[in-house]
Amino acid sequence: MVCIVLFGLANGAKVSLINGFQLLKFLGKGTFGAVYQARREADSKIYAIKKVDTRRMTAKERAEAVNEIRVLASVAGEHVITFYEAFVADDVLYIVTEYAGNGDLLGFLKNKKRAGHLPEATVWSFFIQMLLGTKTMHENNILHRDLKAANVFLCSNTFLKLGDLGVAKVLKHDQALASTQVGTPYYVAPEVWRNKPYNSKCDVWSLGCLLYELCTFRPPFEAESMEGLARKVMKGKYEQIPSFYSQALRTTLAKLLVIEPKQRASVEELLASDEIRSRLNSITDAVSAQSDHHTSEPVNIVSTIAVPRRFNDLTKNLPPSRYDTKDVSPKGIGPGEGAPPSARMPMTPQQQHAYGAQYPGQYPVAGAGAVPPSREIRMVYHAPNGNPNSSRASIFARGGYNPITHAQMHTGASQAYRLSNHYQQQQEYSAQRARVTPSHWY
């Protein structure tokens, strides 16, 4: 499947859409690709998109890139970046997640360093939020394995989430061990440096390094070479945090930066400690008001995603999208299901007729402002090896009350061919995704 890049004019400028997204600006490098700020055409909301070009990747590297989708789709919580969808276009993998508008903790600390030390209340708040995010992952037997300041994202100046799960690992059970050496050297646990099997305690060590960095603006172990760094980490001796911080912070840090993982505190033990328990409620209450995570929506562990030999065929193996469609509006109609009646735009007579034909008796009163349920349709134009003479079109649909009919499938497929012929002149092929109602069949 190849994605048609749609071109249009916005404010007189040429704009490209990738699967219904407009890339706005480059944000930085992730584990396996570049991350961009993007606007989704269907709801006009801002998202983060990681773009992973797999064309020069080995089969193993492709599998590792796809692993991030599995991990993101397997975990949901107030302090973990939310996954929305993934898709493939021209051997490029796109991963859509929520956008954290205040950057990452690394940039935050660089800015704050000029103004002096962080207030202890901020240190506790950030640390406990990171601890809660790690707890969410560990409850699902997921190791982050690369906790560092650059992978902690700020949704506001006081509310943060863990992200970039590119090297995270899903364990088969809570007693399982991992063995691959991954992570960022300054935050890597001693057992990983020793090339020993490790478990969730490796993330606890990284949290200790982050807590130390919140207090000092630098990691606890530094050296001029990797060998020197390894020796310092495995000795576990670090300079004490500034004296103006409390004994409670020192005590907590001492439970984290413990060389032997069996003696290192777990996330559960830390949350049950007096130092953290006494502060937990006030911090969670303060940040919960800023969270849009719905705890009533459980997420199951996603099975290993098989990576086909032809990478463009990966789409059919990817997890479904997870957008909140309650406030998503079909273009030209207004707020969708769940919007208050005063916010809805009444349907035209043609829309009422189309809606009534599809869903008899469900449009109450002409002009009352009821809005038909949204349906998502994906049209895919296939051009094997770039040869339009052997092309075909497919259409997929979901949502709404009733299954899409054969006639609607035929109409949509025909329109997909017309789109492909139009864009064939620009040598641009791919898939177009849109949210539609019965009055908007292609």
Side-chain angles (χ1 to χ4, degrees), residues 222-252:
E222 294 179 292
E224 296 180 356
S225 67
M226 293 289 279
E227 293 79 8
L229 181 60
R231 285 193 297 270
K232 285 192 174 183
V233 170
M234 288 186 282
K235 285 181 180 178
K237 295 187 181 298
Y238 56 88
E239 188 177 322
Q240 289 298 307
I241 61 175
S243 58
F244 46 75
Y245 287 120
S246 68
Q247 182 58 44
L249 266 181
R250 300 171 196 279
T251 300
T252 300

Short mmCIF file of all heavy atoms in Angstrom, two decimals, residues 222-252:
data_model
loop_
_atom_site.label_atom_id
_atom_site.label_comp_id
_atom_site.label_asym_id
_atom_site.label_seq_id
_atom_site.Cartn_x
_atom_site.Cartn_y
_atom_site.Cartn_z
N GLU A 222 29.60 10.46 35.79
CA GLU A 222 30.15 11.04 34.57
C GLU A 222 31.60 10.61 34.42
O GLU A 222 32.32 10.40 35.41
CB GLU A 222 30.08 12.57 34.62
CG GLU A 222 28.65 13.12 34.63
CD GLU A 222 28.62 14.64 34.70
OE1 GLU A 222 29.01 15.19 35.75
OE2 GLU A 222 28.23 15.26 33.70
N ALA A 223 32.05 10.48 33.18
CA ALA A 223 33.44 10.10 32.89
C ALA A 223 33.78 10.53 31.47
O ALA A 223 32.88 10.87 30.69
CB ALA A 223 33.64 8.60 33.08
N GLU A 224 35.05 10.50 31.14
CA GLU A 224 35.50 10.92 29.82
C GLU A 224 35.51 9.78 28.81
O GLU A 224 35.77 10.00 27.63
CB GLU A 224 36.90 11.54 29.91
CG GLU A 224 36.92 12.83 30.73
CD GLU A 224 38.31 13.44 30.81
OE1 GLU A 224 39.26 12.80 30.28
OE2 GLU A 224 38.46 14.54 31.37
N SER A 225 35.25 8.56 29.27
CA SER A 225 35.21 7.41 28.37
C SER A 225 34.14 6.44 28.83
O SER A 225 33.69 6.48 29.99
CB SER A 225 36.57 6.69 28.33
OG SER A 225 36.84 6.09 29.60
N MET A 226 33.73 5.57 27.93
CA MET A 226 32.72 4.56 28.28
C MET A 226 33.24 3.62 29.36
O MET A 226 32.51 3.23 30.27
CB MET A 226 32.33 3.77 27.03
CG MET A 226 31.61 4.58 25.99
SD MET A 226 29.93 5.03 26.49
CE MET A 226 29.08 3.53 26.08
N GLU A 227 34.53 3.26 29.27
CA GLU A 227 35.12 2.36 30.26
C GLU A 227 35.13 3.03 31.64
O GLU A 227 34.79 2.40 32.65
CB GLU A 227 36.55 1.98 29.86
CG GLU A 227 36.65 1.12 28.61
CD GLU A 227 36.51 1.92 27.32
OE1 GLU A 227 36.48 3.18 27.39
OE2 GLU A 227 36.41 1.29 26.25
N GLY A 228 35.49 4.31 31.65
CA GLY A 228 35.50 5.03 32.92
C GLY A 228 34.10 5.17 33.50
O GLY A 228 33.90 5.05 34.71
N LEU A 229 33.12 5.40 32.64
CA LEU A 229 31.73 5.52 33.09
C LEU A 229 31.24 4.20 33.66
O LEU A 229 30.60 4.16 34.71
CB LEU A 229 30.85 5.96 31.92
CG LEU A 229 29.37 6.16 32.25
CD1 LEU A 229 29.17 7.23 33.32
CD2 LEU A 229 28.59 6.53 30.98
N ALA A 230 31.56 3.10 32.97
CA ALA A 230 31.15 1.77 33.44
C ALA A 230 31.71 1.50 34.83
O ALA A 230 31.00 0.98 35.71
CB ALA A 230 31.60 0.70 32.45
N ARG A 231 32.97 1.83 35.06
CA ARG A 231 33.59 1.60 36.36
C ARG A 231 32.89 2.39 37.45
O ARG A 231 32.62 1.88 38.55
CB ARG A 231 35.09 1.95 36.32
CG ARG A 231 35.95 0.93 35.60
CD ARG A 231 37.43 1.17 35.88
NE ARG A 231 37.88 2.47 35.36
CZ ARG A 231 38.35 2.66 34.14
NH1 ARG A 231 38.44 1.64 33.29
NH2 ARG A 231 38.76 3.86 33.75
N LYS A 232 32.57 3.66 37.16
CA LYS A 232 31.91 4.50 38.17
C LYS A 232 30.51 3.98 38.49
O LYS A 232 30.09 3.95 39.65
CB LYS A 232 31.82 5.94 37.67
CG LYS A 232 33.15 6.69 37.74
CD LYS A 232 32.93 8.18 37.51
CE LYS A 232 34.22 8.96 37.74
NZ LYS A 232 34.02 10.42 37.59
N VAL A 233 29.77 3.59 37.46
CA VAL A 233 28.41 3.08 37.68
C VAL A 233 28.45 1.81 38.51
O VAL A 233 27.66 1.64 39.45
CB VAL A 233 27.70 2.83 36.33
CG1 VAL A 233 26.39 2.08 36.54
CG2 VAL A 233 27.44 4.15 35.61
N MET A 234 29.37 0.92 38.19
CA MET A 234 29.41 -0.37 38.90
C MET A 234 29.92 -0.23 40.33
O MET A 234 29.67 -1.09 41.17
CB MET A 234 30.22 -1.38 38.09
CG MET A 234 29.47 -1.85 36.83
SD MET A 234 30.28 -3.17 35.92
CE MET A 234 31.54 -2.27 35.04
N LYS A 235 30.64 0.86 40.63
CA LYS A 235 31.01 1.14 42.01
C LYS A 235 29.86 1.77 42.78
O LYS A 235 29.72 1.60 43.99
CB LYS A 235 32.22 2.09 42.05
CG LYS A 235 33.55 1.42 41.71
CD LYS A 235 34.67 2.44 41.81
CE LYS A 235 36.02 1.79 41.47
NZ LYS A 235 37.13 2.79 41.52
N GLY A 236 29.02 2.53 42.06
CA GLY A 236 27.83 3.11 42.64
C GLY A 236 28.06 4.27 43.59
O GLY A 236 27.16 4.63 44.35
N LYS A 237 29.21 4.90 43.57
CA LYS A 237 29.50 6.03 44.46
C LYS A 237 29.26 7.34 43.71
O LYS A 237 29.80 7.55 42.62
CB LYS A 237 30.95 5.95 44.95
CG LYS A 237 31.22 4.74 45.84
CD LYS A 237 32.62 4.82 46.44
CE LYS A 237 32.91 3.60 47.31
NZ LYS A 237 31.99 3.50 48.45
N TYR A 238 28.46 8.19 44.32
CA TYR A 238 28.12 9.46 43.68
C TYR A 238 28.20 10.59 44.71
O TYR A 238 28.10 10.39 45.92
CB TYR A 238 26.72 9.40 43.08
CG TYR A 238 25.63 9.01 44.06
CD1 TYR A 238 24.96 9.96 44.82
CD2 TYR A 238 25.28 7.67 44.23
CE1 TYR A 238 23.98 9.61 45.73
CE2 TYR A 238 24.29 7.29 45.13
CZ TYR A 238 23.65 8.27 45.87
OH TYR A 238 22.67 7.92 46.77
N GLU A 239 28.41 11.79 44.19
CA GLU A 239 28.47 12.98 45.05
C GLU A 239 27.07 13.29 45.59
O GLU A 239 26.07 13.16 44.87
CB GLU A 239 28.99 14.16 44.22
CG GLU A 239 29.29 15.41 45.01
CD GLU A 239 29.87 16.49 44.12
OE1 GLU A 239 30.66 16.16 43.21
OE2 GLU A 239 29.50 17.68 44.33
N GLN A 240 26.99 13.68 46.85
CA GLN A 240 25.69 13.94 47.46
C GLN A 240 24.98 15.12 46.81
O GLN A 240 25.63 16.04 46.29
CB GLN A 240 25.86 14.22 48.95
CG GLN A 240 26.25 12.98 49.77
CD GLN A 240 25.18 11.91 49.69
OE1 GLN A 240 24.01 12.15 49.95
NE2 GLN A 240 25.60 10.70 49.32
N ILE A 241 23.66 15.11 46.85
CA ILE A 241 22.87 16.22 46.32
C ILE A 241 23.04 17.44 47.24
O ILE A 241 23.46 17.29 48.39
CB ILE A 241 21.38 15.84 46.18
CG1 ILE A 241 20.78 15.47 47.53
CG2 ILE A 241 21.22 14.71 45.19
CD1 ILE A 241 19.29 15.19 47.48
N PRO A 242 22.75 18.66 46.78
CA PRO A 242 22.95 19.86 47.60
C PRO A 242 22.27 19.76 48.97
O PRO A 242 21.20 19.17 49.11
CB PRO A 242 22.34 20.97 46.75
CG PRO A 242 22.48 20.47 45.34
CD PRO A 242 22.30 19.00 45.41
N SER A 243 22.89 20.38 49.95
CA SER A 243 22.45 20.26 51.34
C SER A 243 21.10 20.91 51.61
O SER A 243 20.45 20.61 52.61
CB SER A 243 23.51 20.87 52.27
OG SER A 243 23.73 22.24 51.93
N PHE A 244 20.66 21.83 50.72
CA PHE A 244 19.37 22.48 50.98
C PHE A 244 18.18 21.58 50.66
O PHE A 244 17.04 21.94 50.93
CB PHE A 244 19.24 23.81 50.21
CG PHE A 244 19.65 23.76 48.76
CD1 PHE A 244 18.84 23.16 47.81
CD2 PHE A 244 20.85 24.31 48.36
CE1 PHE A 244 19.21 23.12 46.48
CE2 PHE A 244 21.23 24.29 47.02
CZ PHE A 244 20.41 23.69 46.08
N TYR A 245 18.44 20.41 50.05
CA TYR A 245 17.35 19.45 49.86
C TYR A 245 17.18 18.59 51.10
O TYR A 245 18.14 18.35 51.84
CB TYR A 245 17.61 18.58 48.62
CG TYR A 245 17.42 19.31 47.31
CD1 TYR A 245 18.47 19.44 46.40
CD2 TYR A 245 16.19 19.88 46.98
CE1 TYR A 245 18.31 20.12 45.20
CE2 TYR A 245 16.01 20.56 45.78
CZ TYR A 245 17.07 20.67 44.90
OH TYR A 245 16.90 21.36 43.72
N SER A 246 15.99 18.07 51.31
CA SER A 246 15.64 17.38 52.55
C SER A 246 16.27 16.00 52.67
O SER A 246 16.71 15.40 51.67
CB SER A 246 14.12 17.24 52.65
OG SER A 246 13.66 16.34 51.66
N GLN A 247 16.26 15.49 53.89
CA GLN A 247 16.74 14.13 54.14
C GLN A 247 15.83 13.12 53.44
O GLN A 247 16.27 12.06 53.01
CB GLN A 247 16.77 13.85 55.64
CG GLN A 247 17.31 12.47 56.01
CD GLN A 247 18.72 12.23 55.48
OE1 GLN A 247 19.59 13.10 55.58
NE2 GLN A 247 18.96 11.04 54.92
N ALA A 248 14.55 13.45 53.30
CA ALA A 248 13.62 12.54 52.62
C ALA A 248 14.05 12.29 51.17
O ALA A 248 13.96 11.16 50.67
CB ALA A 248 12.21 13.12 52.66
N LEU A 249 14.53 13.34 50.49
CA LEU A 249 15.03 13.16 49.12
C LEU A 249 16.28 12.28 49.11
O LEU A 249 16.43 11.41 48.25
CB LEU A 249 15.35 14.52 48.50
CG LEU A 249 14.26 15.20 47.66
CD1 LEU A 249 14.77 16.51 47.10
CD2 LEU A 249 13.79 14.29 46.53
N ARG A 250 17.16 12.49 50.05
CA ARG A 250 18.39 11.68 50.13
C ARG A 250 18.05 10.22 50.40
O ARG A 250 18.65 9.31 49.81
CB ARG A 250 19.30 12.21 51.23
CG ARG A 250 19.75 13.64 51.04
CD ARG A 250 20.48 14.15 52.30
NE ARG A 250 20.57 15.61 52.24
CZ ARG A 250 21.49 16.24 51.53
NH1 ARG A 250 22.41 15.57 50.87
NH2 ARG A 250 21.50 17.57 51.51
N THR A 251 17.09 10.00 51.29
CA THR A 251 16.70 8.63 51.63
C THR A 251 16.11 7.93 50.41
O THR A 251 16.43 6.76 50.13
CB THR A 251 15.68 8.64 52.78
OG1 THR A 251 16.26 9.26 53.92
CG2 THR A 251 15.23 7.23 53.13
N THR A 252 15.26 8.63 49.68
CA THR A 252 14.65 8.05 48.48
C THR A 252 15.70 7.75 47.43
O THR A 252 15.70 6.67 46.80
CB THR A 252 13.60 9.02 47.90
OG1 THR A 252 12.59 9.25 48.88
CG2 THR A 252 12.96 8.45 46.66
#
